[in-house]
Amino acid sequence: MPRAHYVGVDMGGTSFKIAVGDAEGRVVCERRAATQSEAGPEVVLARLAAESKAALEEAGAKAPTAIGIGLPGTLDMRAGVVRYLANFPGHWRDVDVRGPLEKALGAPVHILNDVRAATLGEHMFGRGRELGAQSMVLLALGTGIGGGVVIDGKLRLGALGSAGEIGHTILDPNGPPCGCGSRGCLETFASGPALSAEGVRLVLTGQAPRLREIVEGDANRVDPRAMGEAANAGDDKVRAAIARAGTYLAQVIANLIVALHPELVVIGGGVAGLGDLLMDPIRRGVRDYVKMFPVDTVRIETSTLGDRAGAMGAIAWAMQGGMPE
Amino acid sequence: MPRAHYVGVDMGGTSFKIAVGDAEGRVVCERRAATQSEAGPEVVLARLAAESKAALEEAGAKAPTAIGIGLPGTLDMRAGVVRYLANFPGHWRDVDVRGPLEKALGAPVHILNDVRAATLGEHMFGRGRELGAQSMVLLALGTGIGGGVVIDGKLRLGALGSAGEIGHTILDPNGPPCGCGSRGCLETFASGPALSAEGVRLVLTGQAPRLREIVEGDANRVDPRAMGEAANAGDDKVRAAIARAGTYLAQVIANLIVALHPELVVIGGGVAGLGDLLMDPIRRGVRDYVKMFPVDTVRIETSTLGDRAGAMGAIAWAMQGGMPE
C-alpha cells in the first residue's frame, strides 16, 4: 500500500500556497504560485491542479489521498462549490471547485473557509498543539478580520460552514458601515484598513510626525507595518491608535471567553506583526473586562505558523475527510 | 436489578425544586420547598436530603442512582463545592455540597450552575428536543442574566464550569457598573432590574401613565410584568423600553450566531414572560444585525419548560454522571 499524501491549499487573491503532508501531518513540500485570478476560475483551477501535481512529484508522491482547499469567501462546503469570492477580480460566483479538481487530481477535494483552515492549522500543528489546547479561538487580522472556533478538538462550522465570523461581531450598531452590510462590526474598528485610516488622519492633522516621515507624506503608504515603526520611533498618537484597536479586540475576546472559556486565543494575520504594540493592550483589556473567573486560565498568543497556517490546516481538513455528514 | 431513578434539584434563594426522573428521563415526581437559606448551609442541605428522600418515596424508588443539583453561583464542580452563592443570605462560601448529600442519600452527587442546568434541560427535554437542535444557546432573563451553550449535544463548561456567562457580555465598556465588577454588561441593560429602573424613570417623568396606574404610583411595584401590562394598555414609552432591551439582547445573540451558528436560541427566565413585546424586537434585531448568512437558519424561541428547566436539566446532568474527567 503506497504512503498517504495530503495536499493542502491556501487560496488567496494574489497568490496561493500548496503544502503536501504525509499521514503523520508532517509537511514534506511547500510551494507558492501567483493566483492570476484575473484569468478567471477555469484557468485558476487548472493552474492549481498543475501546481498540486508538481508539488506531489517534488514530494515523491504518485497520487494524493485527499486535497483540502481554504478559500476566502462564501462556500457551499458539502457541494464543493464557491458561492462568492469577494476579493477575486470578477467576483467568483457559483464556481464548482470540487468537480474539476477531483477530475484532474483523482482524489477527494474538501473545501473550507481560509481562516477556518488557518484555525485548524494552528490547532493541529501550531500554537494549539504547542500548548495542548483542546478549545481555542483564532482571529486573523488583515484587510478584514476572519476567525475560527475549535471546541473540544473540533472545528465549529455550523450548518453552512459560516460559524467563526468573529470579525463581524457588532460592537456599535450605529458604527461605521461594514462590508458585510451591517454596521459597527469589529472589522470596522480593528482591521488593517481601519488602523491605516486612523494613521492617515493622524498624518493629515499633524499628530504623527514620525509616520509622516516614514511614508514620505504619501497616504497610500500608511499601513499597520509603517504605523508600528512610527509608534516605536516615538509617535505616541500612533501607539495609542494601535492600543485602541487592541482594546476593541479585547472586548470581543473577553465576550468570547465568558461565553466559551477556551484555553487559548490566537491572534494571526498580517496586523499581528505589530507584536506587543497590539498584544499588550489586548491582554490588558481582557484582564480588565473579564471578572467572572480568573482570566489567567486563558492564553492569548500570536500564531506560530504565520501565513503557513492556512495550507497546513487544509492538510488537516483533507486528513479529516472534510465536513462530517 | 432495581429501576434507575435520578434526582434533579434546582436550588434557589427562596425555594428549591426537586424532580425525580426515570432512566428514560421521564419525570415521575416533582416537589417544591422553601429553601430557608437564612438557616445556613447545614440546615439547608439537611432539608434538601430529607425532601429528596420524600420525593423518591413518592416516586416509589428506594434509592437514587445519582443526584444532580443546579446552584446559582460560583462552583468547583469537580470537588462538588460551592465557592460562592451571592443570592443566599450570609453568602455561602466554600460549602461542601457533595460530601453531606452523598452521605445522606448514598449516591453520587453532581453539581452545576443553575442556568447551565436549565440549558441542559431545554436541550434534552424542552425546546431543543422539540426542534431537534444539536447546538443551542440559552439566555435566562431574571434578576441577572444567566446563560448556557450547547455545542454538538454537549454542554459547554470550560475548565471551571463557567462558560456560558452570556449576561456578562460587554456591550459598552463605559456603561453602568455590573455586579460582576465589569461595566456595561448585557445584564446592566436587559435584566429585570434594568428594565424596572427604566420603568420607574418613565413613571417619575410622567411618560408612563398606564404603568403609574397599574403600580398605584409605587415605584417598588414596577417590574417587567407590570411593564408588559402597561405596554399592552397603551404606554408607548414602556413598549419602547422593552423593545430597547430586546435590541440589546439581539446584538448579543447576533454576535453569538456569527461566532457559533447554533440552530436554536432559547429565551427563558421570568422576563421572557413579556412574550412578543420582547421576542419581536429580539428577532427583528437579529435579522438586522446578521448579514453573514441567512439568519432564518436559526430559531429564536421562548423556553418550553419554564421554571421546570433547571430541575429537569439537573436530572440530565445526573444521568450523564456530571463533568467528564
Side-chain angles (χ1 to χ4, degrees):
Chain A
M1 190 180 149
R3 286 185 58 199
H5 280 95
Y6 299 89
V7 177
V9 180
D10 185 12
M11 200 75 189
T14 53
S15 72
F16 63 90
K17 290 180 266 320
I18 294 182
V20 178
D22 64 17
E24 284 74 44
R26 277 184 303 256
V27 172
V28 291
C29 164
E30 286 182 275
R31 291 171 76 95
R32 184 184 292 253
T35 305
Q36 300 182 334
S37 50
E38 64 285 356
E42 208 173 318
V43 174
V44 170
L45 293 179
R47 281 178 55 76
L48 179 51
E51 290 290 333
S52 297
K53 283 179 186 165
L56 284 159
E57 198 168 326
E58 198 181 318
K62 278 214 171 67
T65 309
I67 299 107
I69 308 181
L71 292 145
T74 307
L75 315 174
D76 183 336
M77 297 178 71
R78 288 214 166 77
V81 168
V82 167
R83 287 289 164 231
Y84 183 61
L85 289 192
N87 299 324
F88 279 46
H91 299 327
W92 288 24
R93 274 187 196 280
D94 299 322
V95 174
D96 179 12
V97 168
R98 177 189 288 165
L101 286 181
E102 288 194 342
K103 201 171 162 192
L105 296 169
V109 167
H110 305 288
I111 67 174
L112 79 168
N113 171 278
D114 60 341
V115 183
R116 251 72 80 195
T119 304
L120 198 55
E122 285 291 337
H123 168 61
M124 298 281 290
F125 306 122
R127 193 66 84 178
R129 188 171 70 176
E130 178 195 321
L131 298 176
Q134 282 304 299
S135 297
M136 59 171 268
V137 167
L138 179 136
L139 282 91
L141 314 178
T143 307
I145 297 184
V149 174
V150 171
I151 301 281
D152 292 337
K154 190 175 161 206
L155 187 65
R156 176 70 193 157
L157 289 165
L160 305 172
S162 300
E165 285 293 352
I166 301 165
H168 299 282
T169 301
I170 295 175
L171 284 176
D172 177 4
N174 302 308
C178 182
C180 77
S182 200
R183 302 186 77 91
C185 296
L186 175 63
E187 191 167 298
T188 69
F189 294 107
S191 64
L195 208 50
S196 301
E198 177 61 1
V200 169
R201 193 186 71 85
L202 292 172
V203 167
L204 292 175
T205 53
Q207 299 186 79
R210 294 292 84 76
L211 181 55
R212 191 190 170 85
E213 282 168 24
I214 289 163
V215 302
E216 295 175 325
D218 182 357
N220 295 304
R221 290 171 55 188
V222 174
D223 63 12
R225 188 195 192 103
M227 289 176 72
E229 206 181 317
N232 286 325
D235 271 351
D236 288 343
K237 296 287 173 62
V238 174
R239 179 180 291 266
I242 297 167
R244 262 199 314 285
T247 303
Y248 284 120
L249 289 162
Q251 184 179 341
V252 171
I253 292 168
N255 290 346
L256 287 168
I257 289 174
V258 297
L260 299 174
H261 199 175
E263 300 134 72
L264 171 65
V265 176
V266 174
I267 310 294
V271 181
L274 287 168
D276 290 345
L277 286 169
L278 186 69
M279 294 299 287
D280 285 348
I282 290 177
R283 293 191 181 113
R284 200 180 314 127
V286 169
R287 272 197 308 275
D288 284 350
Y289 290 146
V290 178
K291 301 295 184 196
M292 293 305 294
F293 47 78
V295 79
D296 55 10
T297 53
V298 183
R299 295 280 296 264
I300 303 173
E301 306 290 343
T302 52
S303 118
T304 55
L305 300 178
D307 69 357
R308 302 171 66 219
M312 292 182 69
I315 289 177
W317 191 237
M319 291 174 71
Q320 293 181 9
M323 207 167 185
E325 282 318 299
Chain B
M1 191 179 148
R3 286 186 60 201
H5 281 95
Y6 299 90
V7 177
V9 180
D10 186 11
M11 199 75 189
T14 52
S15 72
F16 62 90
K17 290 181 265 317
I18 295 182
V20 177
D22 64 16
E24 284 74 45
R26 278 185 301 256
V27 171
V28 290
C29 165
E30 284 182 275
R31 290 171 77 93
R32 185 184 292 253
T35 305
Q36 300 183 331
S37 50
E38 62 285 355
E42 210 172 316
V43 173
V44 171
L45 293 179
R47 279 178 58 76
L48 179 51
E51 290 290 334
S52 297
K53 282 179 188 166
L56 284 159
E57 199 168 325
E58 196 180 319
K62 278 218 173 60
T65 309
I67 299 107
I69 307 181
L71 291 146
T74 308
L75 315 174
D76 183 335
M77 297 177 70
R78 288 213 166 77
V81 169
V82 167
R83 287 287 165 233
Y84 184 59
L85 290 192
N87 299 325
F88 279 47
H91 298 330
W92 290 21
R93 274 186 195 281
D94 298 323
V95 173
D96 179 12
V97 169
R98 177 189 288 164
L101 287 180
E102 288 195 342
K103 202 172 161 191
L105 296 170
V109 168
H110 305 287
I111 67 174
L112 79 168
N113 172 278
D114 60 340
V115 183
R116 251 72 81 195
T119 305
L120 198 55
E122 285 292 337
H123 168 61
M124 298 282 288
F125 306 121
R127 194 66 85 175
R129 188 172 69 177
E130 178 195 320
L131 298 174
Q134 281 304 299
S135 297
M136 60 171 267
V137 168
L138 178 137
L139 281 89
L141 313 178
T143 308
I145 297 183
V149 175
V150 171
I151 301 280
D152 292 337
K154 191 176 160 205
L155 186 65
R156 176 68 192 156
L157 290 166
L160 305 173
S162 300
E165 285 294 351
I166 300 165
H168 299 282
T169 301
I170 295 175
L171 284 176
D172 177 2
N174 302 310
C178 182
C180 77
S182 199
R183 302 185 77 91
C185 296
L186 174 63
E187 191 168 297
T188 70
F189 295 106
S191 63
L195 208 50
S196 302
E198 178 61 1
V200 169
R201 192 186 72 83
L202 292 171
V203 167
L204 292 176
T205 54
Q207 299 185 79
R210 295 291 85 73
L211 181 56
R212 190 191 169 83
E213 283 168 25
I214 289 163
V215 303
E216 296 177 323
D218 183 357
N220 295 305
R221 290 171 55 187
V222 175
D223 64 11
R225 187 194 193 105
M227 290 176 72
E229 208 182 314
N232 286 325
D235 270 351
D236 287 345
K237 296 287 173 62
V238 174
R239 181 179 289 269
I242 297 167
R244 262 198 316 284
T247 305
Y248 284 121
L249 288 162
Q251 185 180 338
V252 170
I253 292 167
N255 290 346
L256 286 169
I257 289 173
V258 297
L260 298 175
H261 200 175
E263 300 134 72
L264 171 64
V265 176
V266 174
I267 309 294
V271 180
L274 287 167
D276 289 346
L277 286 169
L278 186 68
M279 295 299 287
D280 286 350
I282 291 177
R283 294 191 179 110
R284 199 179 315 126
V286 168
R287 273 198 305 277
D288 284 350
Y289 290 148
V290 177
K291 300 296 183 193
M292 293 305 294
F293 47 80
V295 80
D296 55 11
T297 54
V298 183
R299 294 281 293 265
I300 303 173
E301 305 292 344
T302 52
S303 120
T304 55
L305 300 179
D307 68 358
R308 302 172 65 218
M312 292 182 70
I315 289 177
W317 191 237
M319 291 175 73
Q320 292 181 10
M323 206 168 187
E325 283 314 303

